[in-house]
Amino acid sequence: MRTSSTSPECEITFRDEGLEICVSVSDDGLARLVRLAAHTDDTSSAASGVAGRQTLPGLPLVDVVTAGNGRAWSGGRYIESVTGGRLRYAAGEQRTRGRWQELTFRLEDPDSGLRAAVVYCVLKGGGALRASARLENAGSTPVTLESVTSF
């Protein structure tokens, strides 16, 4: 995992022969998936950080709807939740498990005490990806989950 801080945002990038994953962390800690694509050697599109390509707004790593904290808009889709919008990047790690490379992003909601571990498992050189999210309530009050994105 490579971290670059050439702008107010931090970019965490993983690349191998088959896949490229890029997560942008804003200066206030909001982590968003800004690139998930087959890796190419084309230096004009993906090689050197934020410069040289348009930075896209991206998608949250996980979205969580909790009872009493619905969504930030009135649509019927389970996106842009209030709780998910409060989750902030706390840490990241990378480790190898056999043929799989595991990228873990830890997020925390300071209001509810909810913690999330978003895990991307990449099959080395194979272009395959598994994703999961694990939640923990580290707060002092119960939290009722209504939905959690799987990816």
Side-chain angles (χ1 to χ4, degrees):
M1 205 176 322
R2 181 181 62 79
T3 303
S4 111
S5 56
T6 58
S7 71
E9 293 189 352
C10 171
E11 196 175 83
I12 301 164
T13 304
F14 169 83
R15 289 185 191 99
D16 74 358
E17 306 82 36
L19 195 63
E20 178 181 7
I21 299 170
C22 183
V23 173
S24 174
V25 180
S26 67
D27 56 353
D28 70 349
L30 185 61
R32 298 178 86 66
L33 180 66
V34 294
R35 182 167 174 77
L36 174 60
H39 176 71
T40 67
D41 290 326
D42 179 6
T43 57
S44 65
S45 65
S48 59
V50 176
R53 77 169 186 264
Q54 179 183 3
T55 302
L56 302 174
L59 298 170
L61 300 184
V62 65
D63 218 338
V64 180
V65 176
T66 59
N69 284 297
R71 296 182 295 274
W73 66 298
S74 62
R77 298 184 307 167
Y78 289 99
I79 62 169
E80 298 181 18
S81 67
V82 172
T83 302
R86 289 191 312 245
L87 288 168
R88 294 297 184 257
Y89 179 80
E93 63 187 72
Q94 178 178 343
R95 67 178 154 199
T96 301
R97 293 183 181 257
R99 293 185 56 212
W100 293 88
Q101 196 67 29
E102 185 176 280
L103 312 170
T104 302
F105 298 90
R106 300 196 186 286
L107 310 170
E108 298 177 351
D109 173 11
D111 290 357
S112 69
L114 198 61
R115 293 181 184 162
V118 176
V119 181
Y120 298 139
C121 294
V122 179
L123 181 62
K124 292 183 200 173
L129 174 74
R130 295 186 306 209
S132 65
R134 186 175 52 249
L135 298 176
E136 172 191 359
N137 182 3
S140 58
T141 59
V143 176
T144 301
L145 300 175
E146 293 187 356
S147 71
V148 179
T149 56
S150 58
F151 183 55

